Amino acid sequence: MLIHLNQKDRQFHLTNGQVSYIFHVMKNGQLGHLYYGKALRHREDFSHLQTYDVPTGATTHIYADDPAFGLETLRQEFPAYGNSDFREPAISVSKATENHIPNFTYESYQILEGKPRLEGLPATYTEDNHDASTLQILLKDEFLQAELQLNYTIFLDKPVITRSASLRNAGSDELVIDRFMGGSLDLPDKDFVFTHLAGTWSRERHVKERRLETGIQSISSLRGASSHHHNPFLALKRPEATEHTGEVYGFNFIYSSNFLMQVEVDHYDMARLTVGIHPFGFKWNLEPQASFQSPEVVMVYSEQGVNGMSHAFHALYREHLIPSQWRKAVRPILINNWEATYFDFDEEKLVKIAQSASELGIELFVLDDGWFGKRNDDTSSLGDWHVDLNKLPNGLDSLAKKITETGLKFGLWFEPEMISPNSELFKEHPDWAVGIPGQHYTLGRNQLVLDFSRQEIVDYLYDKMSTIIKQTKLAYIKWDMNRNITEAFSNNLPVHQQSEFFHRYILGVYNLYERLTSEFPHVLFESCAGGGGRFDPGMLYYAPQAWTSDDTDAIERLKIQYGTSFAYPVYSMGSHVSAVPNHQTLRSTPLQTRANTAYFGTFGYELDPLKLTEEEREEIKEQVAFYKAHRELIRDGQFYRLLNPFSNNETAWMVVSQDHSEALVGWYKVLATPNPKKQQLLRLSGLDESKDYQVTGSERTYYGDELMTVGLQLPTEFNGVNGRSFERGGDFQSQVYYIRSIEDKLN
Ligand code: GLA
């Protein structure tokens, strides 16, 4: 049983032996929060966890005869603002024409086995009802005639609880929602490090940390995408917590548009976390009988440090978020022509690339930007989704056939949400672009955004894309989104509903994804937004992999992939080997290091194989074979971060199979050290202490405990002595070790 009830005291305890989440109905009928964290033994009554017995002169109170009962000092489940709670709330809703302070009081509860899907929104799911239980609490505001439903799902074998909320207008007056968060959590203290992932184009998801302090600290996006700049992920970590030990709470918002994740620390050092659609510029008109569903918040609790938190996210997303058909499917090693040709290609060139890639063992050819309309650079043709017969005179079908004949599958790039001012589509439908007619339209990469809040536009793209998928028998689609949204207005919405635009837009995107992925479940989708500008769990629900960053430099990727792995499984990260000097940084790194970094992701190449030397081709054949031999381990294994690139010259990480029988360790050193220390040991994680392991490159074996407590002996580094240079050495060195247990000697 995952959900315990105390009907008399109206208390709810969600627990699975790993975490406990406890709340109750307070004396004013609203929901009060009691506890969230490490699992507690169940007891009949937890009401003593509510503490409000210290009234002071300055506090406000609801009842004349109970001066201590004020919402200012009480922890709540889904707070509103206006009567004695002065912190920022989870909900703000009113009638269009009358004043009122929201007062949602408890009506009833319902327990469901498994987890219902969220209408129109990506969310975690269960296929087997035993995997989770869901508690739905119904609250009602009598004056508004509004029903608020709070959904809590607890997973059976994971330290995970998910939350979402929906609001139904059960009356006959229109309601206006100003703020509607997915979840809110009042923590009793502020002793945490606020840890998040920030960046920009080509350096996404760098790890940032700061201590919580009195006041409000937040991360957010107002760009119409989850953004390169802040990922909808936040961890609250105890100051003493490390990668491997200590308490960490992790939060991720399953949404791809404007979001806010905020912690407000008050004068009593209580910390209120709110996560949801960004309230700035948001207002939703709720017609009688209509409902509004919030996106979902994932909450993870870990006692095993930041790695422990990541393990919970990874397992959850592998098993309960990405499309189930991809859970156990091997993803093809791909070659993408973008950095090989940019816009300059023809059929012959592409087929030659595919032919050459096929000889290397690569499995999928992806034709990137530039195959449609008259797109010879980025100033035209988005929206004109028909093949450019100047470049490909025999059409896409012929190209697809020729590529397939080389033994590779065929995949295609689209940027469905965009329209170039210089396009046939814009001439025909200028009003389809997002913006205010007659006023200034801001460009991004020379393009405008299509109004995905309009169903006919989503339908149009569905027709175009589904026709091409069928005709060319596509195996893969890279769905790009290269600019953020400005002048966020729809030509189709009345003025008072323009504040609904951003949410309606992303619902349109989800709708197109939903239709395409359900009609073509065999097509592998990779999401992309100018690299990793929409790498979020909302996208992972449809597209099991995402282009991590346009930055393919192996050294930059150490930080990007390290940060991304805080929340997202390594197998969701598109990571490719590209040519040197690198196109983003102009840095030259060894081919081995480029592959050693890219192995920890969905592997591929982003270069012209015709320009490789024979030696490089041989090396790449070995890389491809190596990845093929280990990709199931990378897909299913437990990922551990070992050395942090943000504070070290070295980075290390590893993947261990669930049965601890094998592992892959990656070790990277950015700058060479002259005359370095002679014994370099890397402490591993996640192995079985008593298993005897063989490490590639070494004849002898090591027990797991030795590898984890003493460490793996790294090669001594030589950078040159007396003018002699050695094969190994120099900057940007790396090593990948495959480790396999030979037998269980102690058991
Ligand atoms: C974006 C993507 C790249 C590539 C280009 C094509 O920048 O992130 O990988 O597809 O668009 O224009």
Side-chain angles (χ1 to χ4, degrees), residues 47 71 75 108 319 325 367 396 422 447 465 511 602 607 680:
S47 52
L71 298 179
R75 284 180 285 145
S108 60
E319 296 162 34
Q325 69 273 25
L367 173 53
L396 267 187
N422 181 9
Q447 65 204 45
M465 291 176 79
N511 179 259
T602 48
L607 45 69
Q680 287 211 74

Side-chain angles (χ1 to χ4, degrees), residues 285-337:
N285 301 273
L286 199 63
E287 302 284 333
Q289 305 313 311
S291 295
F292 184 85
Q293 172 66 55
S294 84
E296 182 169 79
V297 184
V298 179
M299 312 197 300
V300 164
Y301 171 78
S302 160
E303 270 190 290
Q304 283 90 39
V306 189
N307 270 316
M309 172 202 71
S310 301
H311 295 161
F313 277 121
H314 295 181
L316 181 76
Y317 291 170
R318 273 198 300 251
E319 296 162 34
H320 300 287
L321 183 69
I322 67 164
S324 56
Q325 69 273 25
W326 295 107
R327 195 177 301 147
K328 284 285 169 196
V330 155
R331 315 241 188 93
I333 298 177
L334 68 82
I335 184 147
N336 180 304
N337 75 310

Side-chain angles (χ1 to χ4, degrees), residues 374-390:
K374 298 191 181 76
R375 189 146 162 108
N376 296 318
D377 54 33
D378 62 16
T379 60
S380 84
S381 303
L382 290 167
D384 299 344
W385 298 111
H386 52 78
V387 70
D388 178 357
L389 291 173
N390 287 322

Side-chain angles (χ1 to χ4, degrees), residues 338 343 368-369 375 413 445 478 480 482 528 530-531 547 550 606:
W338 178 240
F343 295 99
D368 209 279
D369 196 354
R375 189 146 162 108
W413 179 96
R445 209 195 187 202
K478 177 175 171 187
D480 210 340
N482 270 308
C528 175
W547 183 223
D550 274 350
E606 188 107 0

Side-chain angles (χ1 to χ4, degrees), residues 213-477:
E213 249 322 324
T214 307
I216 290 179
Q217 33 259 291
S218 70
I219 51 167
S220 63
S221 168
L222 286 170
R223 294 169 174 269
S226 49
S227 87
H228 298 87
H229 311 81
H230 289 293
N231 196 262
F233 161 83
L234 172 66
L236 295 178
K237 149 180 128 167
R238 292 295 182 191
E240 65 281 4
T242 68
E243 274 287 8
H244 305 281
T245 59
E247 255 195 333
V248 182
Y249 293 86
F251 306 92
N252 208 189
F253 191 39
I254 307 189
Y255 195 53
S256 313
S257 185
N258 295 355
F259 73 91
L260 175 67
M261 297 179 98
Q262 165 176 304
V263 182
E264 178 169 2
V265 177
D266 71 9
H267 43 287
Y268 295 123
D269 284 353
M270 290 207 293
R272 168 171 295 172
L273 170 84
T274 37
V275 178
I277 295 177
H278 203 306
F280 177 82
F282 170 83
K283 209 185 263 276
W284 193 272
N285 301 273
L286 199 63
E287 302 284 333
Q289 305 313 311
S291 295
F292 184 85
Q293 172 66 55
S294 84
E296 182 169 79
V297 184
V298 179
M299 312 197 300
V300 164
Y301 171 78
S302 160
E303 270 190 290
Q304 283 90 39
V306 189
N307 270 316
M309 172 202 71
S310 301
H311 295 161
F313 277 121
H314 295 181
L316 181 76
Y317 291 170
R318 273 198 300 251
E319 296 162 34
H320 300 287
L321 183 69
I322 67 164
S324 56
Q325 69 273 25
W326 295 107
R327 195 177 301 147
K328 284 285 169 196
V330 155
R331 315 241 188 93
I333 298 177
L334 68 82
I335 184 147
N336 180 304
N337 75 310
W338 178 240
E339 290 195 9
T341 66
Y342 292 103
F343 295 99
D344 181 19
F345 56 79
D346 56 23
E347 186 182 277
E348 196 191 340
K349 206 176 202 177
L350 298 178
V351 174
K352 275 191 182 155
I353 291 178
Q355 183 60 52
S356 171
S358 158
E359 289 157 18
L360 300 173
I362 292 171
E363 301 157 311
L364 164 71
F365 176 85
V366 179
L367 173 53
D368 209 279
D369 196 354
W371 57 266
F372 51 91
K374 298 191 181 76
R375 189 146 162 108
N376 296 318
D377 54 33
D378 62 16
T379 60
S380 84
S381 303
L382 290 167
D384 299 344
W385 298 111
H386 52 78
V387 70
D388 178 357
L389 291 173
N390 287 322
K391 282 184 198 167
L392 302 171
N394 304 317
L396 267 187
D397 315 7
S398 154
L399 175 69
K401 193 161 165 284
K402 287 183 185 156
I403 300 276
T404 322
E405 278 163 11
T406 69
L408 268 64
K409 292 180 172 157
F410 183 59
L412 208 52
W413 179 96
F414 284 93
E415 199 176 358
E417 297 155 72
M418 298 293 151
I419 181 165
S420 303
N422 181 9
S423 67
E424 291 159 26
L425 189 65
F426 190 72
K427 270 189 211 109
E428 213 176 311
H429 295 290
D431 65 307
W432 280 19
V434 173
I436 313 172
Q439 295 193 28
H440 181 73
Y441 282 68
T442 300
L443 294 169
R445 209 195 187 202
N446 306 304
Q447 65 204 45
L448 299 172
V449 182
L450 272 175
D451 183 356
F452 262 52
S453 74
R454 288 168 67 170
Q455 191 61 46
E456 74 266 40
I457 297 179
V458 174
D459 292 346
Y460 175 86
L461 268 304
Y462 171 78
D463 282 346
K464 291 278 168 204
M465 291 176 79
S466 55
T467 306
I468 293 174
I469 294 173
K470 281 186 228 153
Q471 278 173 359
T472 50
K473 301 193 180 63
L474 284 186
Y476 164 106
I477 286 181

Side-chain angles (χ1 to χ4, degrees), residues 33-327:
H33 179 74
L34 293 175
Y35 173 79
Y36 172 44
K38 181 182 167 137
L40 296 181
R41 188 169 288 109
H42 181 66
R43 64 189 306 152
E44 200 42 32
D45 183 10
F46 281 108
S47 52
H48 54 284
L49 296 179
Q50 177 184 265
T51 44
Y52 72 101
D53 57 354
V54 204
T56 67
T59 47
T60 49
H61 50 97
I62 290 173
Y63 302 107
D65 62 354
D66 187 356
F69 190 86
L71 298 179
E72 182 169 352
T73 53
L74 283 167
R75 284 180 285 145
Q76 296 163 71
E77 277 303 302
F78 208 73
Y81 170 85
N83 61 343
S84 77
D85 186 346
F86 300 95
R87 292 162 289 183
E88 291 203 353
I91 181 169
S92 172
V93 54
S94 56
K95 284 194 188 186
T97 49
E98 286 175 276
N99 297 324
H100 174 66
I101 296 293
N103 180 25
F104 285 94
T105 56
Y106 177 77
E107 282 281 312
S108 60
Y109 75 90
Q110 193 182 183
I111 293 176
L112 307 170
E113 288 317 307
K115 181 172 190 295
R117 300 244 178 186
L118 296 189
E119 182 79 29
L121 282 168
T124 56
Y125 62 84
T126 50
E127 288 174 315
D128 180 341
N129 277 348
H130 296 106
D131 286 348
S133 292
T134 300
L135 172 63
Q136 296 182 328
I137 302 284
L138 188 68
L139 304 144
K140 197 162 180 186
D141 185 309
E142 287 298 340
F143 176 84
L144 296 175
Q145 285 295 298
E147 292 169 357
L148 173 64
Q149 182 177 300
L150 302 184
N151 304 313
Y152 300 82
T153 295
I154 178 161
F155 284 81
L156 178 66
D157 59 354
K158 298 181 174 54
V160 175
I161 287 172
T162 63
R163 291 188 59 174
S164 73
S166 68
L167 190 69
R168 192 175 90 85
N169 184 348
S172 48
D173 296 332
E174 188 169 302
L175 301 178
V176 181
I177 305 173
D178 291 300
R179 183 181 179 103
F180 195 60
M181 307 306 273
S184 169
L185 176 69
D186 285 347
L187 291 160
D189 67 89
K190 70 161 170 58
D191 211 6
F192 291 105
V193 177
F194 182 104
T195 307
H196 62 111
L197 306 171
T200 182
W201 176 80
S202 94
R203 54 176 167 82
E204 296 89 339
R205 290 173 300 286
H206 282 206
V207 178
K208 304 284 174 189
E209 297 188 333
R210 62 193 130 121
R211 277 297 281 262
L212 276 189
E213 249 322 324
T214 307
I216 290 179
Q217 33 259 291
S218 70
I219 51 167
S220 63
S221 168
L222 286 170
R223 294 169 174 269
S226 49
S227 87
H228 298 87
H229 311 81
H230 289 293
N231 196 262
F233 161 83
L234 172 66
L236 295 178
K237 149 180 128 167
R238 292 295 182 191
E240 65 281 4
T242 68
E243 274 287 8
H244 305 281
T245 59
E247 255 195 333
V248 182
Y249 293 86
F251 306 92
N252 208 189
F253 191 39
I254 307 189
Y255 195 53
S256 313
S257 185
N258 295 355
F259 73 91
L260 175 67
M261 297 179 98
Q262 165 176 304
V263 182
E264 178 169 2
V265 177
D266 71 9
H267 43 287
Y268 295 123
D269 284 353
M270 290 207 293
R272 168 171 295 172
L273 170 84
T274 37
V275 178
I277 295 177
H278 203 306
F280 177 82
F282 170 83
K283 209 185 263 276
W284 193 272
N285 301 273
L286 199 63
E287 302 284 333
Q289 305 313 311
S291 295
F292 184 85
Q293 172 66 55
S294 84
E296 182 169 79
V297 184
V298 179
M299 312 197 300
V300 164
Y301 171 78
S302 160
E303 270 190 290
Q304 283 90 39
V306 189
N307 270 316
M309 172 202 71
S310 301
H311 295 161
F313 277 121
H314 295 181
L316 181 76
Y317 291 170
R318 273 198 300 251
E319 296 162 34
H320 300 287
L321 183 69
I322 67 164
S324 56
Q325 69 273 25
W326 295 107
R327 195 177 301 147

